[in-house]
Amino acid sequence: MAGRDAARTVGSGMRLGLGTGSTVAHFLESLGARIARGDVTDVAGVPTSIRTGDACRRLGIPLGTLEELAPLDLTVDGADEVAPGLDLIKGLGGALLREKMVAQASRRMIVIVDDTKIVDRLGQTAPVPVEVVPFEFASHLVWFTRLGADPVIRRDGEGVMYRTDNANLIVDCRFPGGIDDPAELEGRLARRAGVVESGLFLGLADEAIVAGDGGVRRIGGEGVS
C-alpha cells in the first residue's frame, strides 16, 4: 500500500532517487507499471544499489547517474526506524552510503514503511549500521563500545563477512535503550577515520508514508494526516 501510494506521487519529467529494500520493491513495481501504461513519461532514476538497478532494468524504469540527473526531484526509500521529526535509521539492507548520497542530492525525500518502524527515539529497535573500510576494521569495535554500542560485524547466512556494493564491511551498532543524542553520535562517527558512513539519516526526510492495518497515513514535518 505504501509503495503504490508513493508511486502515485511521481509525475512526468521527474528525476528520481530509487531506494533499496523490500518495501521499495513494491514502489518500483508500481512505478514500472505506471511507465508501461504511459501514465508518466520522461522519468529517470538513480538506483542506490546493484539490486535496485537490476530491478529497474527488468521493470523498464530508465536509469541515469547523479552527474547526469542531479538535483533530483524526489527520492523514495525505505527506513528501519522513523522517529519524531522524521529522523531515520537506515542501512539494514546494506546500501546506506549510496542511499545517503542520493538523498542528499534530492529536493525531497519520502520514506515508505509499515507502522512497526515508527519509534519514539532512534535505536529502540534497530541497530545503527556503520560502513567501514576493510583495513583494520576490528580496531573500531572497542571505540564503538566506548560510544555505548554493542557492535557486531555483519555476516551472511554462511558466516562470511558481508560486503557492500562498495566492497566495504558493515558493523551493526546496537544501543540498548536507544540513542540519547543522534546528532552528536553522527558527528563522532563522521570524524572517525576508517568509517565511511553511518545509517543515521537526520534531517533528510520530508515525509513518511506509513502502512498499517488501518490503511495508509502520511507523516510530515508538521504532523500527521
Side-chain angles (χ1 to χ4, degrees):
M1 290 188 294
R4 288 195 301 268
D5 197 44
R8 286 193 291 268
T9 68
V10 176
S12 294
M14 277 192 173
R15 300 299 179 245
L16 306 170
L18 305 172
T20 295
S22 57
T23 307
V24 172
H26 298 295
F27 162 74
L28 296 176
E29 289 172 4
S30 295
L31 178 59
R34 293 193 70 208
I35 292 171
R37 290 194 303 266
D39 295 344
V40 290
T41 59
D42 187 32
V43 299
V46 179
T48 55
S49 64
I50 293 173
R51 177 175 38 160
T52 293
D54 290 342
C56 289
R57 283 182 280 272
R58 175 175 56 83
L59 294 166
I61 300 171
L63 299 177
T65 66
L66 278 180
E67 181 181 11
E68 295 165 339
L69 302 180
L72 304 176
D73 299 297
L74 172 67
T75 284
V76 177
D77 208 341
D80 303 302
E81 284 188 347
V82 180
L86 298 181
D87 285 338
L88 315 172
I89 286 178
K90 290 178 47 56
L92 294 190
L96 58 104
L97 172 59
R98 298 188 187 191
E99 288 174 337
K100 191 173 283 188
M101 289 176 65
V102 168
Q104 289 177 342
S106 302
R107 295 188 176 100
R108 185 178 175 216
M109 180 183 185
I110 292 176
V111 292
I112 50 177
V113 295
D114 64 69
D115 55 11
T116 65
K117 306 297 176 62
I118 305 300
V119 296
D120 295 326
R121 65 188 246 178
L122 293 182
Q124 285 185 324
T125 61
V128 178
V130 182
E131 186 164 344
V132 300
V133 298
F135 174 73
E136 296 290 354
F137 67 89
S139 66
H140 299 297
L141 300 183
V142 171
W143 187 79
F144 291 152
T145 301
R146 290 174 183 158
L147 294 180
D150 294 331
V152 177
I153 296 288
R154 186 178 298 185
R155 298 178 183 273
D156 64 19
E158 298 179 353
V160 178
M161 286 188 293
Y162 174 86
R163 294 276 180 163
T164 69
D165 288 349
N166 316 301
N168 293 318
L169 307 176
I170 288 183
V171 182
D172 289 312
C173 294
R174 191 170 293 279
F175 289 82
I179 301 168
D180 292 330
D181 190 335
E184 180 189 19
L185 176 61
E186 182 184 40
R188 295 183 71 175
L189 291 169
R191 292 191 295 271
R192 173 78 174 179
V195 168
V196 180
E197 191 52 82
S198 82
L200 291 168
F201 281 55
L202 309 181
L204 290 173
D206 298 287
E207 188 175 12
I209 300 176
V210 185
D213 291 338
V216 173
R217 61 192 173 108
R218 289 177 175 250
I219 303 174
E222 300 302 322
V224 179
S225 62

